[in-house]
Amino acid sequence: MYDSGNVFAKIIRGEIPSKKVVENEYALSFYDVNPMCEKHVLVVPRGEYENILDFARCASAAEQAGFWECFVKTAEAVGIEGEFNVFANAGLNAPLFNQSVFHFHLHLIAGEKTSACIDIMKEMLCKK
Ligand code: AMP
């Protein structure tokens, strides 16, 4: 069940600040506070969807179109083209990375890895 007290819901409502990249009626994007690479942006729908599956199942055609428009404009705005990663985590016990904010978001990542990213990768290699 969606909890509207999550940090991205607060950013959407303007209750806490973020470093915004792009906004439209249905979605917005902003820089991740703990970047894994030089360019690490989160693309978030304004609607209340806990994860990517909820969004894909339940968001209207207009919300989905608005989200993808925001995604494309974000990539253009931060200069991402050709070499990048996109991922979405879901749940507290996902196989690779756990979700920590329960409002659907895509991570859009490019450029040099940060030391935080290298530490995470090392930690993953040590786990079963
Ligand atoms: P996930 O673990 O996939 O749910 O990703 C949540 C992401 O949100 C993490 O990469 C965090 O660094 C990032 N994050 C948490 N709080 C904020 C915030 N206030 N502004 C921007 N990014 C945030």
Side-chain angles (χ1 to χ4, degrees):
M1 174 125 160
Y2 183 85
D3 173 5
S4 59
N6 73 75
V7 69
F8 295 169
K10 289 179 183 167
I11 287 174
I12 291 164
R13 291 195 295 267
E15 292 167 10
I16 60 169
S18 68
K19 207 174 154 201
K20 288 209 180 70
V21 181
V22 168
E23 286 194 77
N24 68 25
E25 188 181 347
Y26 296 106
L28 68 159
S29 59
F30 47 89
Y31 283 94
D32 195 295
V33 281
N34 188 22
M36 292 183 71
C37 288
E38 205 182 330
K39 298 173 181 179
H40 185 167
V41 182
L42 303 167
V43 187
V44 172
R46 291 187 191 275
E48 298 188 340
Y49 302 101
E50 189 169 307
N51 65 38
I52 191 168
L53 205 48
D54 294 339
F55 180 73
R57 278 193 181 125
C58 304
S60 68
E63 286 177 292
Q64 305 223 17
F67 179 82
W68 289 115
E69 185 206 56
C70 180
F71 176 83
V72 170
K73 288 199 168 155
T74 300
E76 289 166 356
V78 298
I80 292 178
E81 179 83 55
E83 283 154 344
F84 58 92
N85 293 103
V86 175
F87 62 85
N89 301 318
L92 280 175
N93 288 300
L96 298 180
F97 299 108
N98 296 333
Q99 185 176 6
S100 59
V101 180
F102 289 82
H103 180 111
F104 165 51
H105 50 283
L106 285 185
H107 295 256
L108 174 57
I109 297 178
E112 289 294 311
K113 295 179 193 72
T114 62
S115 55
C117 175
I118 291 164
D119 288 346
I120 290 168
M121 290 169 99
K122 280 184 190 156
E123 208 180 295
M124 281 182 76
L125 282 174
C126 296
K127 280 188 184 161
K128 263 195 176 176

